[in-house]
Amino acid sequence: MHIARSRLAALVIGAAVAASIVVAGPASAHEGHDHGDEVAATTWANYERVRLAGTSGVGEPIDLAVLPDSRVLHTTRAGQVRLTDPSQGTTTVINTIDVYSNSEDGLQTVTLDPDFEENGWVYLYYAPREMDAPYPATTPAGSAPNTLPAGADASYWDQWKGYNQLSRFKWDAEASALDLSTEQVIIKVEVQRGQCCHVAGDVAFDNDGNVLLSTGDNTPAGTPGANGYAPMNDRAGYNPGFDARRGSSNTNDLRGKIIRIDVQEDGSYTIPAGNLFAPGTADARPEIFAMGLRNPFRMDFDPETGAVTWGDYGPDAGTANVDRGPMGYVEWQSTTVPVNGGWPLCHGPNAEYSNWDYETLTVRNWYDCDAPVNPSPYNTGLQQLPAATEPQIWYGDRPEHQPWPEFGSGGQAPMGGPTYRYDEENESATKFPAYWDGKAFMGEFSRDRIFAFSQDDPDGPVTKIEDFLPNAALTAAGMPIWDNVMDMEFGPDGSLYVLDYGDGFFRPNPDAGLYRVDYVEGTKGPRVVLSADVTSGEGPLEVEFDASESTHPDELALSFAWDFEGDGTFTEGDAVASHTFTEDGQYQARVRVTDSSGRVSLASVTVTVGNTAPIVEIVAPANGAFTDWGDKVAFEVKVTDPDETIDCSRVLWSYGLGHDNTHTHPLFTGTGCTATIETALEAGHGETENIYAQIGASYTDAGTDTAPALSGDDVALLNPRALQAEHNDARDGDVTVVDDESAEGFRYLGGLDAGESIAYDPVELGGITGVELRAKGEGTVTLTWADADGEQLAEFDVDSAEWQDVAVPLTVIPEGTGRVVVTSTGGVDLDQFEFTSSVSDIRSLLGALKDDGRITRGVEASFGDVLAEVDAALAAGDTATATARLEFLVTQVPNRIRTDADAAALVIRAAEAVIANL
């Protein structure tokens, strides 16, 4: 991803390439301007964020590297290396690496050698599907179990051993691709496969040309018993992958580290001076520069100061625990000397974890950050470790959780980034101004922000934190916002290149993209929006292209020219054009948009002729449905492809635990069009955390003799029945999250006044019979469908100084997946909404229908008697009898409720929902 010396200072299978690729021409130089001027440098109107590739162009984006000619290499987890050419407005898949894909494993980083222009080396870090001895040739499909199967011994885990490897390949300039035959395997990092997560895998170079490689701790966030704290489960018979001490705090292991090596001509390596452990130190790997890290996903090196910088992820506990340790923090660190980051024994402000006994659920003792000791039974290194080093920055999910309120609120996901170095001799008109010289940039994946840090000393504290080009400014200027920043680096032009992952997980998200941020005073370029009514099919294929939504920030007139088959010839035309493709193949259809001042932007769409992309639809469960943790959910996916018979063995699905609308921890995977999926429990997250289930499915067809393979995918989110008020998906108003140990999840939402709202999305109410609100205060709370003025679903009257549970049945059931909006008259604190499927809901529904005159008192009474029998059976643990009586009630409804078909349908639906829940 990064070049140190030569630059100016970077589950579900991905989709086919391309969609809306935009490049703006260079702006005019800023003659006579003081580039160190803070006012000009922080006037956000002077920046332009240009989309170079959209979702189909980047797939599931992982990493990027900017070539000397400003073309951009970028990777997908599924193994694709892609090349975006901003000058042509095109993106192509140039190589495919055969990778092992499970959870976060796959293809990670792409990085240019600092002497790339002389030697042509490009570095990739990836999980090879086929491995060399002594490792298994391949890894079993799916996920490793939590515990040893009956009759198995510890050797059972050997089948899950594997490695990630750092390799380098020669760049073939003529082919504009990597020459895969030139691969040199540099180093292998042993890992435990079949589990999620924390791969890290970033690469940089120091001033001596030494390779820096970051690695993750290879330990699941969902470790049984971790409950959001540092996972160190060493119970006998459990998967050894549940103990982070076996890697991060193991001096004889390369996981959870930054390693530093000197790569030789033949791809072997030697150890440079200045690492944490000198060569020859017993039980310590001399490659280690920094240890005690969890997931240093993005790392960089500043050639001016010699500092290595990185962002490191933390666990998910929302509060500290007197028996376990600190709340979950994330970190940003800068150092010129080797360090021990402390994980998993210490974290954040050198806060210490307990040595928790996962068997007895008691505290053995506490770790000492000044003199840490690794007692893990899986530790193969030194017992006594170097003292832990506190990072420069650590923060939680609220401003009061750290000394730096600049970070605001939200999930925590720090992406380390480059330090900008201003080059006065660089003639680029779009380079960042000198004000940013020496400032380290960090992306916040969860909060959709980029920060810039100032330091007087690279080993000292951060003296200033700036919110660079905030989304509010981008929105005001009509430019695309930051959307889960995945990677960034400064190019040879001094512009900032950024990969956005988008909202969603382990798939090509609709809002993923590759962008370039230019410093442009004055007139900006056209902003091209290009769509096509069809992008694949059998020939002759007629396609209508539409660029009519393109705009100009200064409202200059636009003209359009088209190159439909990518042959380099543009023909003037209108904003809407059509073309018929007669020959099979894959084409990059381009539009060139020129403003009246002569600035040009390009966009392209990939059209495949001779193969039709498969359509993947998750039929069950419904997107936005509700589930209890531990439920067994029926999964069914439908794949449609007119070109081939669907092979269900090629349908890949994954189940993961979504967290805080920012990322997902994959828990297990499988293949097939149907399955029964048991929704995992809280999986190591604390009680304050916003968690939900997510199922993804994808299918890649076989392609044809004349057209490449294409993919399709779909995702379904499952809500927990209890939705905390503070975990809403959208809010309109000035609401406040308040810490309160008496509240569910230890927090509640205050200040929802009249005219304000919160919303949950997606929601599907098919199996829900009622809603119970936990609240306090005095006022009315209302649930509506779609928007605040939509169809009313429920109304709650709250009148209590203490927490009060108010339950209402659902008498209106909208079809399909949508949005539930919460409004209030004011004066009410909201704790939790629980979406229920219960006998009491049926009883309340009957009462509401009777009060509205839709059923008789006699019907209410007779059905009430049946429900009393159901209650008695359930109290006795007799589910079969309870089910039978509810089924009897269903048969009686048409005979007893004859004059109101809608009321009858409501009662039948409620009874069937409770039966399904039983």
Side-chain angles (χ1 to χ4, degrees):
M1 176 178 64
H2 310 287
I3 306 173
R5 290 182 291 179
S6 62
R7 71 162 188 226
L8 292 175
L11 296 159
V12 180
I13 292 178
V17 178
S20 291
I21 302 165
V22 179
V23 56
S28 58
H30 326 307
E31 294 184 8
H33 182 74
D34 177 7
H35 288 275
D37 179 9
E38 178 177 357
V39 174
T42 57
T43 297
W44 307 128
N46 289 336
Y47 293 86
E48 186 170 23
R49 180 164 144 89
V50 181
R51 185 169 65 170
L52 306 180
T55 177
S56 296
V58 299
E60 185 196 355
I62 301 297
D63 198 63
L64 70 85
V66 186
L67 291 165
D69 60 6
S70 293
R71 290 182 297 169
V72 185
L73 294 171
H74 44 105
T75 60
T76 71
R77 193 188 310 277
Q80 292 179 332
V81 181
R82 303 186 180 201
L83 177 65
T84 291
D85 186 344
S87 69
Q88 299 299 314
T90 58
T91 296
T92 53
V93 176
I94 58 172
N95 295 102
T96 300
I97 308 298
D98 188 15
V99 297
Y100 164 75
S101 296
N102 180 284
S103 302
E104 290 182 358
D105 283 314
L107 174 58
Q108 304 296 330
T109 196
V110 56
T111 309
L112 305 184
D113 190 278
D115 294 321
F116 170 79
E117 290 182 275
E118 288 74 42
N119 61 33
W121 285 119
V122 178
Y123 293 71
L124 300 180
Y125 187 66
Y126 67 98
R129 187 181 62 83
E130 295 183 349
M131 296 180 290
D132 300 325
Y135 297 92
T138 58
T139 304
S143 301
N146 288 354
T147 57
L148 279 174
D153 60 25
S155 65
Y156 170 84
W157 303 115
D158 291 345
Q159 65 185 306
W160 299 100
K161 285 185 178 180
Y163 56 83
N164 295 329
Q165 71 184 40
L166 178 65
S167 291
R168 66 181 181 182
F169 305 80
K170 285 288 188 177
W171 177 253
D172 184 334
E174 185 175 345
S176 287
L178 302 177
D179 183 349
L180 299 185
S181 69
T182 64
E183 180 176 15
Q184 291 183 346
V185 178
I186 297 168
I187 191 169
K188 297 175 180 178
V189 178
E190 183 171 293
V191 295
Q192 187 95 2
R193 289 182 169 181
Q195 65 182 41
C196 181
C197 286
H198 308 143
V199 175
D202 210 2
V203 173
F205 294 85
D206 68 15
N207 285 331
D208 295 321
N210 297 312
V211 171
L212 295 156
L213 169 67
S214 69
T215 65
D217 74 354
N218 184 218
T219 305
T223 289
N227 301 113
Y229 299 94
M232 296 177 272
N233 188 338
D234 55 9
R235 291 180 67 182
Y238 273 69
N239 190 325
F242 294 148
D243 187 351
R245 298 170 300 182
R246 82 202 188 289
S248 291
S249 57
N250 184 346
T251 62
N252 203 28
D253 192 286
L254 294 181
R255 287 171 291 190
K257 309 293 195 299
I258 293 175
I259 68 175
R260 177 171 165 267
I261 56 177
D262 184 2
V263 180
Q264 304 300 297
E265 192 77 21
D266 61 355
S268 63
Y269 66 86
T270 59
I271 306 300
N275 281 349
L276 190 59
F277 304 105
T281 303
D283 300 325
R285 294 289 296 264
E287 297 96 334
I288 297 171
F289 176 79
M291 65 176 292
L293 310 180
R294 191 187 192 218
N295 191 27
F297 194 68
R298 289 290 173 257
M299 169 198 62
D300 215 304
F301 179 83
D302 178 21
E304 185 77 18
T305 63
V308 184
T309 60
W310 66 89
D312 198 7
Y313 281 58
D316 296 312
T319 57
N321 183 289
V322 294
D323 292 325
R324 302 297 296 273
M327 68 171 293
Y329 295 108
V330 296
E331 303 178 349
W332 181 86
Q333 192 145 5
S334 170
T335 183
T336 62
V337 297
V339 297
N340 175 16
W343 177 262
L345 315 181
C346 308
H347 202 53
N350 262 8
E352 294 157 341
Y353 284 105
S354 71
N355 184 2
W356 183 251
D357 189 321
Y358 282 69
E359 183 72 44
T360 64
L361 305 183
T362 58
V363 177
R364 294 165 174 152
N365 49 55
W366 287 81
Y367 294 107
D368 181 353
C369 296
D370 293 327
V373 173
N374 183 356
S376 170
Y378 306 111
N379 180 25
T380 60
L382 300 172
Q383 291 272 313
Q384 186 69 53
L385 308 178
T389 301
E390 182 176 327
Q392 279 87 351
I393 293 287
W394 44 269
Y395 61 95
D397 56 8
R398 303 272 298 281
E400 58 267 30
H401 294 155
Q402 69 273 335
W404 305 279
E406 294 93 334
F407 289 107
S409 300
Q412 308 112 282
M415 295 291 190
T419 298
Y420 179 64
R421 290 298 170 184
Y422 179 75
D423 182 358
E424 189 172 1
E425 296 180 0
N426 184 353
E427 296 180 355
S428 169
T430 63
K431 66 185 178 186
F432 274 36
Y435 173 77
W436 300 107
D437 182 68
K439 296 178 187 287
F441 285 70
M442 185 196 85
E444 226 307 336
F445 181 94
S446 294
R447 301 183 186 184
D448 296 336
R449 299 171 74 182
I450 288 182
F451 296 98
F453 301 146
S454 298
Q455 293 175 279
D456 296 327
D457 176 355
D459 295 300
V462 169
T463 57
K464 187 176 183 180
I465 299 173
E466 296 171 269
D467 189 358
F468 174 74
L469 193 55
N471 275 350
L474 289 168
T475 299
M479 289 187 285
I481 62 171
W482 308 116
D483 205 331
N484 301 104
V485 175
M486 191 69 168
D487 189 26
M488 58 181 165
E489 71 172 59
F490 286 99
D493 50 8
S495 294
L496 183 65
Y497 291 75
V498 182
L499 271 178
D500 277 3
Y501 190 82
D503 297 318
F505 314 102
F506 300 98
R507 64 188 292 252
N509 295 304
D511 37 14
L514 171 65
Y515 296 86
R516 189 187 66 231
V517 180
D518 298 330
Y519 184 73
V520 181
E521 294 182 18
T523 301
K524 313 295 191 293
R527 293 171 187 164
V528 183
V529 177
L530 175 63
S531 64
D533 64 342
V534 61
T535 58
S536 67
E538 296 300 319
L541 182 66
E542 183 178 0
V543 181
E544 182 169 292
F545 300 95
D546 189 348
S548 62
E549 296 297 317
S550 301
T551 61
H552 196 284
D554 299 315
E555 299 184 353
L556 298 184
L558 302 177
S559 60
F560 300 84
W562 297 90
D563 173 16
F564 295 113
E565 300 195 4
D567 59 10
T569 301
F570 284 91
T571 302
E572 299 294 326
D574 296 327
V576 176
S578 64
H579 181 74
T580 299
F581 297 86
T582 58
E583 300 292 330
D584 286 0
Q586 196 167 68
Y587 302 89
Q588 296 226 11
R590 299 187 293 167
V591 64
R592 184 179 66 199
V593 182
T594 306
D595 66 26
S596 57
S597 72
R599 293 202 71 199
V600 174
S601 296
L602 293 167
S604 72
V605 170
T606 297
V607 176
T608 303
V609 183
N611 186 20
T612 304
I615 299 173
V616 178
E617 178 188 4
I618 295 179
V619 178
N623 185 33
F626 290 83
T627 185
D628 289 311
W629 299 118
D631 279 355
K632 293 183 178 179
V633 176
F635 164 75
E636 180 182 356
V637 64
K638 177 183 177 182
V639 181
T640 305
D641 191 324
D643 300 320
E644 64 182 48
T645 301
I646 301 304
D647 179 1
C648 282
S649 69
R650 297 198 343 246
V651 172
L652 308 180
W653 60 262
S654 63
Y655 171 83
L657 196 73
H659 176 220
D660 205 30
N661 295 331
T662 60
H663 62 277
T664 292
H665 301 298
L667 298 183
F668 46 85
T669 61
T671 60
C673 293
T674 60
T676 299
I677 299 175
E678 183 172 349
T679 57
L681 296 175
E682 55 84 32
H685 290 73
E687 293 184 62
T688 62
E689 300 309 293
N690 178 14
I691 56 175
Y692 49 88
Q694 180 177 283
I695 300 173
S698 72
Y699 183 84
T700 300
D701 65 23
T704 68
D705 292 338
T706 56
L710 299 175
S711 300
D713 67 83
D714 195 16
V715 171
L717 181 150
L718 297 177
N719 292 299
R721 286 184 179 270
L723 295 180
Q724 302 302 313
E726 66 271 19
H727 293 164
N728 56 81
D729 297 303
R731 59 184 64 175
D732 179 14
D734 188 19
V735 296
T736 305
V737 177
V738 182
D739 291 330
D740 184 344
E741 291 187 359
S742 70
E744 297 293 333
F746 301 126
R747 292 171 187 162
Y748 69 84
L749 195 73
L752 184 67
D753 296 324
E756 301 177 334
S757 65
I758 62 172
Y760 298 97
D761 187 10
V763 171
E764 196 274 335
L765 297 169
I768 300 301
T769 57
V771 184
E772 182 174 284
L773 167 65
R774 189 170 192 257
K776 64 181 179 180
E778 182 178 355
T780 300
V781 177
T782 304
L783 302 187
T784 56
W785 187 248
D787 55 51
D789 297 321
E791 187 175 27
Q792 182 171 306
L793 304 177
E795 185 174 272
F796 309 85
D797 292 320
V798 180
D799 187 7
S800 174
E802 305 298 328
W803 292 119
Q804 173 189 14
D805 294 327
V806 183
V808 298
L810 289 184
T811 57
V812 174
I813 310 296
E815 293 186 4
T817 297
R819 175 183 176 98
V820 170
V821 179
V822 182
T823 57
S824 170
T825 58
V828 179
D829 294 328
L830 306 177
D831 185 12
Q832 173 181 278
F833 295 92
E834 184 168 4
F835 291 77
T836 56
S837 305
S838 67
V839 174
S840 62
D841 287 339
I842 303 176
R843 189 175 285 111
S844 297
L845 173 62
L846 293 170
L849 293 173
K850 185 263 295 178
D851 292 343
D852 290 342
R854 300 177 65 181
I855 65 173
T856 66
R857 187 181 300 274
V859 169
E860 180 192 23
S862 63
F863 284 172
D865 291 341
V866 176
L867 295 178
E869 296 176 26
V870 174
D871 285 334
L874 291 175
D878 187 355
T879 304
T881 297
T883 300
R885 297 309 294 157
L886 286 169
E887 290 173 341
F888 169 75
L889 186 151
V890 169
T891 64
Q892 296 302 300
V893 168
N895 298 324
R896 300 300 307 277
I897 307 177
R898 299 178 180 177
T899 60
D900 191 328
D902 290 340
L906 282 170
V907 176
I908 291 174
R909 178 197 162 280
E912 290 177 340
V914 174
I915 292 170
N917 193 47
L918 293 178

